[in-house]
Amino acid sequence: MNDSPGWAAPGSPSDGQGPDAAPPPPAEDSGASKWSAAQPPPGQWSSPDAGQTPQQPQQNAGWGTYPTPPGQQPPAAPYAYGNPGGGWGGPPPAAKPGVIPLRPLGLGEILDGAVGILRGHWRSVLSVSLVVAALSQIALLVAQRLTMDSLPTPSTEPTTPGEAVRALGDAGLLYGFQYYLEILGLILVTALLAPTVSRAVLGQTSTLGSTLKAVRPLAPRMLGLTGLLLLGSLAAGLLPALPGILLGSAALAALGVPVGLVLLAWFYVTFALAPPALMLERGTPVAALRRSAKLVKGAWWRICGISLLTWVIRTITSTVIVMPFAAIAMVLAPGGLSSFLDGSATRDWAVLIVTGIGAVVGATVTIPMQTGVTTLLYIDQRIRREALDLELARAAGVEGYGSTRTPAPTGG
């Protein structure tokens, strides 16, 4: 793979032979259909009539096969323990030039591959995620400081319905801004690190310079896709609650929140694979959105479940990382623990800066795991549907790969 890796979609001019090209069928044995010269003793097998298959001999009970009832297909040969073809031995071994085996992936392999990318390419991965996390946290810090004065505290609880609606709106804007900042960061890091993930899959090294060189020609399209995804997620999340917001009705706005969350989840999962599709297939933003929707179709719940599990793992890990910084902030707060309980600590710049640094460190370490899982899901879907593993094996220089395909692991 060169400095600008790209895996074109099937049928595109850059495909060459294309991942859809199936291996040639094995040549038939011309003697397989002939009767042997040494016939069995009379009475054990009878000569088959037209359209009738020979009857299988009776075998001893135990690990051997049993006679096939008339009208049924003979059972498949059982796999012994350790057989690389399946059974107790699991799925057949596949070529693994990089962080994942070149076959349909299970859940554990996707998570392990994401961790392997972070461990093996930590310089370029952490450099990109640090910049994005720092910029996001600075924007969030400014928004927190500007809106905290308008949020209610135990001493300034709203006393009228109008004040309650305004307080609810301010809190919703702050948390909504935080949520969409996180989505924006995930989109950018996923797109920026897609070339790094592609090299990790092929077992190639990656540097920050090579990553930026691969991303630079696609920067305008990447920003265009980011804008489309951000606008789409805003529309999905806010439109159901918009009538209540415009009418000043907290009850009507609250009714639209669950609908907005459902639409937002559908939108996020459906177009989650668009950033890696854009960077690795080098198409347009609209083509990347269509590509993601096509790859996700039929696997929405699987991709949603894996993404949700990754988010839970990432949140727990980030919380553990942030805890020491929160303890330092508690010591620096003017009122100590009581200032956190009454909300006054959130108005202190020292507390905001220390907790912000902790959030940057946590996001820098954990965001690449989520984005790595997303890109590996894109690769996995193309392996399952388009035999991308054949193209990856050729790119990695794996000899003799493709004569047999490994079935998708069950339960993953």
Side-chain angles (χ1 to χ4, degrees):
M1 180 172 287
N2 54 23
D3 289 336
S4 301
W7 301 325
S12 62
S14 61
D15 235 6
Q17 295 180 352
D20 290 333
E28 295 183 359
D29 186 2
S30 59
S33 59
K34 297 181 180 179
W35 289 96
S36 172
Q39 295 296 324
Q44 185 173 354
W45 282 324
S46 59
S47 299
D49 297 331
Q52 180 182 359
T53 58
Q55 184 179 359
Q56 298 295 328
Q58 177 74 29
Q59 296 187 9
N60 296 330
W63 292 102
T65 59
Y66 292 91
T68 304
Q72 296 187 11
Q73 295 293 331
Y79 292 118
Y81 181 83
N83 187 343
W88 290 100
K96 189 179 180 181
V99 295
I100 59 170
L102 299 184
R103 57 172 170 77
L105 303 175
L107 171 61
E109 292 166 335
I110 292 176
L111 296 177
D112 183 67
V115 175
I117 293 168
L118 177 59
R119 185 172 57 246
H121 304 265
W122 61 271
R123 288 183 178 86
S124 55
V125 168
L126 294 184
S127 298
V128 171
S129 61
L130 174 61
V131 173
V132 175
L135 293 176
S136 300
Q137 194 60 37
I138 290 173
L140 179 61
L141 186 65
V142 173
Q144 282 180 325
R145 193 62 188 88
L146 292 177
T147 58
M148 280 301 175
D149 292 335
S150 61
L151 296 180
T153 62
S155 59
T156 61
E157 291 292 340
T159 56
T160 64
E163 291 178 352
V165 171
R166 283 194 298 272
L168 179 63
D170 291 338
L173 287 176
L174 176 61
Y175 293 118
F177 183 71
Q178 180 179 359
Y179 176 77
Y180 283 106
L181 265 181
E182 182 177 355
I183 290 182
L184 179 62
L186 287 174
I187 295 171
L188 288 174
V189 176
T190 302
L192 290 171
L193 292 183
T196 301
V197 176
S198 70
R199 290 188 175 91
V201 169
L202 299 177
Q204 300 174 355
T205 59
S206 178
T207 63
L208 180 60
S210 62
T211 300
L212 295 179
K213 185 178 179 180
V215 169
R216 191 179 299 115
L218 298 174
R221 281 179 273 183
M222 181 187 70
L223 294 178
L225 176 65
T226 302
L228 290 177
L229 289 173
L230 190 59
L231 289 176
S233 59
L234 283 170
L238 297 181
L239 283 180
L242 187 60
I245 295 174
L246 295 178
L247 296 176
S249 173
L252 186 58
L255 290 176
V257 170
V259 180
L261 292 177
V262 172
L263 288 177
L264 187 59
W266 172 85
F267 182 88
Y268 177 83
V269 175
T270 301
F271 300 108
L273 307 185
L278 174 72
M279 302 305 294
L280 298 179
E281 297 181 17
R282 314 178 75 80
T284 64
V286 175
L289 293 175
R290 293 174 179 170
R291 189 82 168 109
S292 177
K294 181 179 180 180
L295 291 173
V296 172
K297 185 178 181 181
W300 192 96
W301 286 107
R302 179 176 183 270
I303 294 175
C304 177
I306 294 176
S307 300
L308 182 60
L309 177 61
T310 307
W311 177 83
V312 171
I313 296 173
R314 182 172 68 88
T315 302
I316 295 174
T317 306
S318 180
T319 302
V320 173
I321 295 174
V322 169
M323 285 177 64
F325 295 91
I328 296 174
M330 191 178 301
V331 173
L332 296 178
L337 180 60
S338 59
S339 63
F340 279 87
L341 297 177
D342 62 19
S344 60
T346 56
R347 291 168 170 78
D348 184 76
W349 272 109
V351 173
L352 291 176
I353 291 175
V354 172
T355 55
I357 293 174
V360 169
V361 174
T364 300
V365 175
T366 59
I367 283 181
M369 182 179 181
Q370 185 91 49
T371 58
V373 167
T374 300
T375 305
L376 291 179
L377 281 172
Y378 161 82
I379 296 173
D380 175 59
Q381 286 301 110
R382 289 198 61 185
I383 289 176
R384 291 171 182 268
R385 299 187 176 187
E386 302 169 359
L388 180 66
D389 52 331
L390 303 179
E391 184 177 345
L392 295 177
R394 288 195 296 267
V398 179
E399 297 293 338
Y401 183 86
S403 58
T404 58
R405 289 290 309 277
T406 301
T410 59

